[in-house]
Amino acid sequence: MPREVIMPKVDMDMASGKLIAWHVAEGQRVARGDVLFDIETDKAAMEVEAEASGTLYHPIAPGTDVVIGAPVAWLYE
């Protein structure tokens, strides 16, 4: 069963974040804790790590603004 990779909330006032770059390609296997992508907010830029292991599919394009909690990709076991 696929697991959603969501845009995390990293600031109390944050409503959305911009996905800046992916560190893994679609179809690439990742382990829990691997860096998946970079996000940018009004106040900072940061890396987001995988919360589970799996193969990454259906990533959104870099430069896209994403609402907090919305999926940016899926990890398949």
Side-chain angles (χ1 to χ4, degrees), residues 16-69:
S16 66
K18 182 179 281 189
L19 193 144
I20 299 300
W22 285 98
H23 289 268
V24 297
E26 183 168 18
Q28 184 175 344
R29 182 113 177 116
V30 297
R32 182 181 181 154
D34 287 352
V35 176
L36 293 179
F37 58 96
D38 295 332
I39 62 171
E40 182 179 77
T41 69
D42 292 339
K43 298 179 182 178
M46 67 178 296
E47 296 177 333
V48 177
E49 297 178 352
E51 294 185 6
S53 297
T55 304
L56 184 81
Y57 287 104
H58 313 295
I60 64 161
T64 304
D65 283 314
V66 182
V67 175
I68 300 307

